[in-house]
Amino acid sequence: MPKKTRAPKPARAAKPRVDYTAPERLKHIFAALDQLFPQAQCALRHVNAFQLLVATILSAQCTDERVNKVTPELFRKFPTAPHFAALHQEVLEREIRSTGFFRNKAKAIIGASKKVVQDFGGQVPKSMEEMLTLPGVARKTANVVLGTAYGMPMGVVVDTHVFRIARRLKLSQQNTPEKVEQDLMKLVPQDRWITFGHQMIWFGRKICAARKPLCADCPLESVCDSPDKTL
Ligand code: SF4
């Protein structure tokens, strides 16, 4: 008897590969953010670079609303870097207790203030390299201050919102804010870095929330295939 031969299985159609960094897709994302948040700004109240530095350190693991409740009185009592540099740690801890992690924050603020006074003549420095020498200051804080207070696009702010959304939109698959920032710096034009950071933070607050993102109302829904989607 002739041996039965199995018919070959039909080849499966290959899934079309999505180019998540295609210029058209990026354009769509930028246009949607521009439309949603044309005037996006930093929500932390401040009148100069030093106050923004303090407010940004306080905003770690804390809402901007909470920080904005604490800083008006804080800056009224201690308006400049020399005032903070001369503070006893316990005094500052009492003032900022409600922002959480107050011991570490007080230590960082006093340390950064001393360095600003001793090494930079009381002015917050204007380069990334110098900013990173301040105690408690990493790239996120440095980018906030350089971008918002000085208008210098030295990088992209990657806070918890930007980190989450960049990964949901597959603009980066990296696992650390520093590496996500490097990816974003390649994809986003430099003249957009400051605005893009603000817009992504507002987008994260208002639409693409960590829990229950509002995908039904999201103008990026058609280009998003995140497993977190609620549609
Ligand atoms: S569709 Fe949903 S998960 Fe995707 S970007 Fe919009 S809100 Fe975020």
Side-chain angles (χ1 to χ4, degrees):
M1 251 177 94
K3 232 180 170 185
K4 272 188 188 168
T5 52
R6 276 199 194 152
K9 277 187 184 171
R12 256 196 212 161
K15 245 184 164 184
R17 275 175 68 93
V18 180
D19 180 0
Y20 293 107
T21 59
E24 283 311 308
R25 183 173 187 269
L26 296 176
K27 252 194 207 169
H28 182 104
I29 292 171
F30 300 148
L33 291 173
D34 283 347
Q35 192 151 20
L36 282 170
F37 308 108
Q39 310 286 342
Q41 294 291 337
C42 178
L44 293 168
R45 287 164 69 171
H46 63 282
V47 297
N48 56 39
F50 178 74
Q51 288 192 355
L52 183 56
L53 171 64
V54 173
T56 308
I57 293 174
L58 290 176
S59 72
Q61 310 286 318
C62 180
T63 63
D64 289 354
E65 289 74 25
R66 161 66 33 206
V67 174
N68 286 340
K69 284 199 177 114
V70 169
T71 49
E73 181 62 6
L74 185 67
F75 295 146
R76 193 189 62 75
K77 288 185 184 166
F78 314 108
T80 65
H83 289 97
F84 278 91
L87 272 178
H88 283 292
Q89 166 110 6
E90 307 78 57
V91 174
L92 185 53
E93 284 178 7
R94 269 201 301 279
E95 298 285 337
I96 63 171
R97 196 180 186 94
S98 65
T99 67
F101 301 94
F102 57 92
R103 287 201 181 92
N104 284 346
K105 289 179 184 178
K107 198 172 162 203
I109 291 169
I110 292 172
S113 302
K114 282 184 176 160
K115 182 101 179 154
V116 164
V117 171
Q118 284 161 12
D119 294 0
F120 300 106
Q123 298 299 314
V124 177
K126 290 189 173 175
S127 76
M128 177 60 77
E129 210 186 352
E130 291 171 319
M131 284 293 297
L132 295 179
T133 67
L134 303 178
V137 173
R139 282 194 67 94
K140 188 205 86 173
T141 300
N143 276 323
V144 169
V145 175
L146 292 170
T148 298
Y150 292 143
M152 296 171 69
M154 294 291 118
V156 178
V157 172
V158 177
D159 74 341
T160 178
H161 296 293
V162 181
F163 183 75
R164 177 181 70 254
I165 299 162
R167 287 163 47 87
R168 278 180 175 170
L169 289 174
K170 311 247 171 65
L171 299 176
S172 176
Q173 312 272 15
Q174 295 291 348
N175 290 319
T176 66
E178 293 74 21
K179 288 182 182 168
V180 168
E181 185 193 355
Q182 292 309 311
D183 283 347
L184 293 177
M185 286 166 73
K186 287 182 205 127
L187 297 176
V188 180
Q190 190 172 7
D191 62 359
R192 263 191 184 273
W193 286 356
I194 299 172
T195 305
F196 180 80
H198 293 318
Q199 289 175 328
M200 288 277 272
I201 291 168
W202 282 105
F203 182 57
R205 286 190 184 126
K206 301 288 179 194
I207 296 177
C208 192
R211 278 183 293 165
K212 296 194 189 153
L214 304 178
C215 304
D217 300 326
C218 177
L220 296 179
E221 194 275 323
S222 63
V223 296
C224 175
D225 61 10
S226 167
D228 298 339
K229 263 167 84 163
T230 51
L231 279 181

